[in-house]
Amino acid sequence: MNDPSAHILRDYGNFLRDSRRRSAHTIRAYLVAAERLTDFLRQHWGENADAKRIEQITSTDIRSYLAMRRGEGLTNRSTARELSAIKAFLRYILGEDAALPVMRAPKIHSTLPRPLSPEDAVNLADDIAKSAVKDWTGARDWAVLLILYGCGLRISEATGLLGSILPLDDSIRVTGKRGKTRIIPIIAPVREAIEHYLALCPYPPAPNKPLFRGARGGALSPAIIRRAVQGARKRLGLPDNATPHALRHSFATHLLAGGADLRSLQELLGHASLSSTQVYTAVDTAMLLDEYENAHPRA
């Protein structure tokens, strides 16, 4: 490799994986952003963007890069994500304690998570199960969606479960972002759905094999579940926010409405900070106000 930035990107990828323990998805996103930046700087400066040259980067350089990206159609939210990735890359180059060039993120109007009602969540899972070509894949999809709603897992966490969680008890150990593990209670309907799927699945479970299998026996792709949800959403006339991740939002919102405290909810969701969990208090309040306006005779 004659391009010095190629060495930087390779080492940066190893750093994200080994030292920061980032997920494969995050590593790809950060490396793509870093590669875009180094390619731009090479043209912008008219010379190689090696580590020593990148150490001299200025706020003007970054503004020029972001202007180029905005010209390609980047939204405020996407620009903010790109800026976050750039900061992570520059901290790697300059050092954690080094002062970074001033980078102002665009304003983003915060949006609340949009959960589904319990009825819509169950109807969604039921429609997908009944629309499946084979009984065992229908049982699988039902179990996956029920574990998203009943346990609050991310879809990648659900499809990443291994047969080592068997036999099922009252809880499972889940590995989430940055390799962190947490213990999640399993309610009876979720346990029964998984056991029904296993009884029909043509591929026997094994501790080191995926719990949820694809048609050929490999790991179930999250994209298959997303496509199934998209089809069911259209058939049922549900809004665009009826996604697999909305089931996780529903889990959190309904638990909070039922009296769960924020700290317990934070642990169940695997949030690194309480601020990520606190957004559900606003969701719960918004839902109560909506119910009030619809039901109160003087509203």
Side-chain angles (χ1 to χ4, degrees), residues 54-279:
I54 293 175
E55 287 175 359
Q56 302 170 33
I57 193 170
T58 66
S59 299
T60 302
D61 295 325
I62 296 171
R63 283 197 297 271
S64 297
Y65 170 73
L66 292 178
M68 181 269 293
R69 293 288 288 139
R70 291 301 290 265
E72 295 174 348
L74 230 60
T75 63
N76 280 4
R77 190 172 296 277
S78 296
T79 301
R81 282 198 298 266
E82 184 104 356
L83 194 54
S84 178
I86 290 172
K87 286 180 179 179
F89 178 57
L90 292 181
R91 285 194 188 95
Y92 168 74
I93 296 292
L94 302 174
E96 288 292 333
D97 299 326
L100 298 180
V102 175
M103 294 176 268
R104 299 188 185 280
K107 290 184 178 180
I108 300 174
H109 298 292
S110 60
T111 57
L112 296 177
R114 299 173 66 186
L116 300 177
S117 69
E119 182 181 5
D120 284 343
V122 173
N123 286 343
L124 188 71
D126 187 54
D127 181 87
I128 289 172
K130 289 178 179 177
S131 301
V133 176
K134 298 180 180 179
D135 289 344
W136 80 268
T137 58
R140 176 201 66 194
D141 296 349
W142 168 267
V144 170
L145 293 173
L146 218 57
I147 205 171
L148 298 182
Y149 177 54
C151 298
L153 269 60
R154 302 174 178 93
I155 189 171
S156 59
E157 294 171 343
T159 55
L161 290 173
L162 299 177
S164 56
I165 70 169
L166 303 174
L168 292 174
D169 202 345
D170 294 332
S171 62
I172 57 173
R173 183 181 295 273
V174 176
T175 301
K177 289 185 175 180
R178 302 187 187 181
K180 293 182 178 179
T181 60
R182 63 190 192 276
I183 304 297
I184 306 293
I186 291 189
I187 56 177
V190 174
R191 185 166 55 249
E192 291 165 4
I194 295 174
E195 290 171 347
H196 178 59
Y197 151 69
L198 291 172
L200 297 179
C201 182
Y203 306 104
N208 61 340
K209 296 289 186 180
L211 178 68
F212 296 111
R213 305 293 190 94
R216 297 182 180 180
L220 173 64
S221 169
I224 291 176
I225 299 297
R226 291 192 182 99
R227 283 198 296 270
V229 168
Q230 185 178 24
R233 186 171 66 215
K234 291 179 180 178
R235 288 190 295 271
L236 296 173
L238 295 176
D240 290 343
N241 68 293
T243 64
H245 201 67
L247 295 173
R248 174 172 157 91
H249 293 325
S250 302
F251 165 84
T253 306
H254 300 157
L255 272 185
L256 195 61
D261 66 271
L262 278 177
R263 284 293 180 188
S264 298
L265 190 57
Q266 179 189 3
E267 292 180 10
L268 290 173
L269 292 172
H271 285 161
S273 65
L274 190 61
S275 60
S276 298
T277 314
Q278 284 175 326
V279 67

Side-chain angles (χ1 to χ4, degrees), residues 1-48:
M1 296 181 187
N2 296 322
D3 180 7
S5 63
H7 293 281
I8 297 172
L9 295 173
R10 181 199 61 201
D11 294 342
Y12 181 46
N14 294 336
F15 168 77
L16 291 172
R17 184 189 66 241
D18 300 333
S19 299
R20 286 291 180 261
R21 299 177 66 184
R22 301 292 191 186
S23 69
H25 175 77
T26 300
I27 292 172
R28 281 196 301 272
Y30 275 32
L31 282 178
V32 167
E35 185 175 9
R36 272 197 298 258
L37 177 65
T38 54
D39 285 346
F40 170 81
L41 292 176
R42 189 184 306 112
Q43 298 178 36
H44 183 62
W45 290 334
E47 57 184 290
N48 282 331

